[in-house]
Every structure is written in structure tokens, then in C-alpha cells.
Amino acid sequence: MGKFKAIVVPEKGQPAALGEFDESSLMDGDVTVAVEYSTVNYKDGLAITGKAPVVRRFPMIPGIDFAGKVESSSHPDFKAGDSVVLNGWGTGETHLGAYGAKSRVKGDWLVKLPEGMTSREAMAVGTAGYTAMLCVIALEKYGVKPADGPIVVTGAAGGVGSVAIAVLSKLGYQVAASTGRASEADYLKSLGASEIIDRAELSNPAKPLAKERFAGGIDSVGSHTLANVLSMTKYGGAVAACGLAAGMDLPASVAPFILRGVSLLGVDSVMCPKPRRQEAWKRLASDLDRKKLEAMTTEIPLEGVFELAPKILAGQVRGRTVVKIG
Ligand code: NDP
């Protein structure tokens, strides 16, 4: 057993640093994966900067998602050479994570990469994009259809937002993109947004009910933004909520629920059951334009994570960032 390059948080309160990790210290699991790519999600930004107690086991290799090739497996569903993707399940939080060349995990956590999708593409999607797909599926299952009217996507220029716009537009939905970065209007239109909304329009305290504008929404911002989106959702519509970029609170009234029959659909990616993950990855393979995915993606080396972490927390990162590991 040897050592491999990894970012490690040695102890509680100590900063993350690039170093070497002993393979013999990997945690229990029935599949060992040679990690090829990871990514930088909002939660990774929190873990690397230590701004929130994301890391709950020490030492920890942060990184909540990876794609790579199975090196060895005693799990019946996986064999050496299989291409796999992992999102969540506590990796980078309670289980050694993605910012290292090797990871040992439970096979039950892994999803086989859809045919024709590379590990780099899978991480360009990342947890943000897979969550965006879960949100789209939630709206579809609820019954929101393209003919019902526009879908608002908040935090539009971020990771969840960018993938949500690209998928929704490919499925024929009209998309209203809410962003604080007017300079990204052309980028958002190139992904498929037909309307750009200044996020300031959605960030003041919400009225119980506002003019009905949207058939549905995908919200990664929370707080007043989600409250405003709910108040602007048309009769019988639904909003999929997955994020808290502006805050964890929800200063809303029950008016949209009880007077317009609006529904709030909660979306979690971390503990999401495997069949739903498999469905989301299959749909990402068919319903996300790979050229648009490439256009929203930037690649950095492992050490680049340190510079990027505070930027993602400050809302300064556009689209998705893949981290080349192996
Ligand atoms: P990003 O940082 O890439 O995107 C977040 C976007 O939100 C920013 O780009 C910005 O968009 C907007 N934003 C940031 N700060 C504010 C603010 N104060 N007020 C209003 N808008 C703001 O993050 P991700 O897309 O990766 O993640 C988005 C959220 O979703 C995070 O809160 C994350 O924790 C959550 N998440 C949840 C998951 C789950 O399982 N439920 C899984 C993945 C992510 P713009 O510049 O366009 O305004």
C-alpha cells in the first residue's frame, strides 16, 4: 500500500492543505475507486474554508463528489474498470472524500456512468447538476408542463442554475433566469434562458401573493427569494427548492399554498435513494446538451481548489468547475 496526493483537513479547526494520504488509512468500503475528476460545489467551498461545520470526521479528505474507475470491488454490481460516479452520502463530511487520487466507499453509494458519458462530463455535471436534474424531475412528476408557462430559475449563473436552465430549455420549457450578475445575461441566454430577471426583484420581503408569473420554479437561493417565487407562482404550480445561497430561512406566508394550491417540493441529493439517482443520471445523459455543458465548465488542478473555495461562497463562480485528480 502506498501514499497518494490529497487535500487533507488534519484536525478540527485546522486549515485544509495539500499533502499525501496513506492508502492504509482509507475507510471501510467494498469498492476502491481511482478518482479521475471531482468538482467544486458550494458545500466544498464551506468545507475548504471551514466557514460551516461540513467536515465532521478527522482527518478528512474533503470533496463531496467524484467520478473515476473501479480499481477493485467485492460488491456484486461492480468490477474493476467500471466507470462510476458518486454524489453525497456523507463523502467529504463523515466519509473520506473526493479530493484525493483514491477513495474506498460502499458500492451501494455508486452509480454506473451512463453509456457515452466521460468522468470529466460527469463531474462537469457534478452534484450541482445532478441536483438540478432531481429538481426538473420533481416538477415533471408534479405535472408542470412546458405549455403551462415559464419556469423561474434562481441563482441562475451558479452550478445548479446553469444546468437547470440547459435541461429545462432542451425539454421545451420557457426559462426565466434570475441572476445578480447582469454581465452574465448573454451566457444565460446561450444556455437557453429566454428572460433575465434582476435578482433584486426577488430579494425584498415577499407579499403573501403577487402577480402570477411562473408555472414553476427551481430555487437554489432560499430566504426572501424563495418566498417571492412562491408568491409569484401561478395557480396549481410548484417550486422545487434545493438551496440556501441567500439563507436558510423562509420568510413566506401560507397564502400561495392555501389560496393558489401551489406546492413546495423539497429536493435533497445527499441521501437520495439509488433508483432516483440512477434515473437522474440517465436523464442527464439524454436531456443535457453536452456542448452547453462544456460551455459552462472550467477545469482546474487539485491545488486550484483553495483559490476557488472562497469565490464560490461569494457567488463569483460561473457555471461548473471540474477538478482534475488522477
Ligand atoms: P453556486 O455558488 O454555483 O451558485 C449559487 C448562485 O446563487 C450564485 O451563483 C448566485 O447566482 C446566487 N447567489 C449567491 N449568493 C446569493 C445571495 N446572497 N442572494 C441571491 N442569490 C445569491 O452554488 P451551487 O449552484 O453549487 O449550489 C446552490 C445552492 O444549492 C447552495 O446553497 C448549495 O448548498 C445548494 N445545493 C443543495 C443540494 C441539495 O442536495 N439540496 C445539492 C447541491 C447544492 P447569480 O450570480 O446568478 O445571482
Side-chain angles (χ1 to χ4, degrees):
M1 293 231 179
K3 293 187 176 210
F4 60 87
K5 192 172 155 187
I7 292 177
V8 181
V9 183
E11 273 179 53
K12 194 172 181 178
Q14 287 198 359
L18 192 62
E20 291 203 313
F21 198 85
D22 209 317
E23 202 177 329
S24 62
S25 301
L26 282 174
M27 291 166 77
D28 286 349
D30 45 11
V31 182
T32 304
V33 180
V35 178
E36 294 173 340
Y37 282 95
S38 183
T39 170
V40 183
N41 294 283
Y42 191 87
K43 202 186 247 179
D44 298 315
L46 293 172
I48 292 287
T49 57
K51 285 232 164 99
V54 168
V55 175
R56 280 167 282 136
R57 185 257 187 204
F58 302 92
M60 175 52 78
I61 300 176
I64 64 164
D65 51 9
F66 65 70
K69 282 219 163 49
V70 171
E71 206 174 79
S72 61
S73 164
S74 57
H75 189 286
D77 293 350
F78 299 98
K79 57 178 188 331
D82 283 345
S83 293
V84 291
V85 59
L86 180 139
N87 302 98
W89 291 120
T91 39
E93 302 182 58
T94 52
H95 192 95
L96 291 169
Y99 294 153
K102 266 182 207 199
S103 187
R104 186 175 304 129
V105 296
K106 286 188 186 168
D108 289 346
W109 295 350
L110 295 168
V111 171
K112 276 193 190 148
L113 271 194
E115 198 68 37
M117 187 183 276
T118 64
S119 55
R120 186 179 185 279
E121 285 170 335
M123 280 301 100
V125 171
T127 295
Y130 141 70
T131 304
M133 192 73 232
L134 291 174
C135 290
V136 172
I137 293 171
L139 291 179
E140 284 178 341
K141 291 210 164 131
Y142 184 77
V144 180
K145 297 191 177 55
D148 295 340
I151 306 295
V152 63
V153 173
T154 64
V160 173
S162 295
V163 175
I165 294 168
V167 171
L168 286 168
S169 80
K170 181 153 185 203
L171 294 172
Y173 289 90
Q174 201 185 319
V175 183
S178 162
T179 183
R181 292 180 269 179
S183 56
E184 298 298 356
D186 287 345
Y187 163 74
L188 296 168
K189 284 187 177 155
S190 76
L191 294 181
S194 50
E195 185 189 350
I196 308 296
I197 298 173
D198 185 335
R199 83 176 180 208
E201 268 188 59
L202 303 177
S203 49
N204 289 322
K207 293 181 190 160
L209 292 176
K211 188 169 175 284
E212 291 172 84
R213 281 174 79 176
F214 312 116
I218 294 183
D219 177 66
S220 59
V221 172
S223 194
H224 294 299
T225 302
L226 176 55
N228 275 294
V229 167
L230 287 166
S231 77
M232 292 174 185
T233 300
K234 290 186 191 182
Y235 194 95
V239 179
C242 71
L244 42 59
M248 217 183 207
D249 57 334
L250 179 53
S253 86
V254 296
F257 310 127
I258 65 171
L259 298 175
R260 287 188 182 153
V262 167
S263 289
L264 180 56
L265 313 174
V267 171
D268 165 63
S269 70
V270 179
M271 303 307 285
C272 177
K274 191 157 174 175
R276 258 192 265 160
R277 292 170 184 259
Q278 288 167 319
E279 181 189 0
W281 279 102
K282 199 169 154 212
R283 290 286 308 275
L284 284 158
S286 60
D287 296 340
L288 174 59
D289 183 317
R290 302 288 169 91
K291 286 203 185 90
K292 285 183 181 173
L293 179 64
E294 184 55 36
M296 69 176 82
T297 302
T298 310
E299 180 171 324
I300 58 168
L302 186 53
E303 46 274 31
V305 167
F306 296 106
E307 197 187 323
L308 208 81
K311 287 192 181 156
I312 197 162
L313 298 186
Q316 291 166 356
V317 174
R318 181 174 99 173
R320 301 280 307 129
T321 308
V322 293
V323 182
K324 185 159 173 48
I325 310 254

